[in-house]
Structures are given as C-alpha cells and as structure tokens.
Amino acid sequence: MVSKRRLGASMIFLGLTFVGVFHAFAAIAFHTGLLSVAVGTVVGSVLCLVAVNVPAYLD
C-alpha cells in the first residue's frame, strides 16, 4: 500500500522530471547552453523518484 506522503513525493518528482525534459528540449531548440542544467534536473529527480519508491517494494 502506498502512503499519502510517498504518493505526494512521487507526484512532485514526476512533475519535476517533466519540467526538466521540457527544458532540455527548449535548450536544444533555442541553443541556450543550459542543457546540462536540464539533464541534471532530470537525472536528479528520477533518482529521487526511485529512492522514494524502492522502500515500497521492499515492504
């Protein structure tokens, strides 16, 4: 069973992942040079998403 706290954290990190992907596409399209920031955001939020949800599988 998923707790409300874990579900809330998952939704926040999932939203942050989509924001990072959007910014990565925007950085490529407009040549802003901020691709490393966008990729770092995506990688960090996916890692946090995994860290939040792994204990649910171990219960």
Side-chain angles (χ1 to χ4, degrees):
M1 181 92 182
V2 177
S3 68
K4 290 180 185 178
R5 182 179 295 167
R6 189 171 287 151
L7 184 62
S10 294
M11 292 296 117
I12 288 172
F13 289 129
L14 190 62
L16 191 59
T17 302
F18 284 122
V19 167
V21 168
F22 173 76
H23 281 278
F25 285 131
I28 291 169
F30 297 112
H31 305 289
T32 60
L34 295 174
L35 184 63
S36 61
V37 174
V39 170
T41 302
V42 171
V43 170
S45 60
V46 168
L47 287 176
C48 289
L49 189 62
V50 169
V52 164
N53 288 313
V54 164
Y57 294 119
L58 298 177
D59 287 342

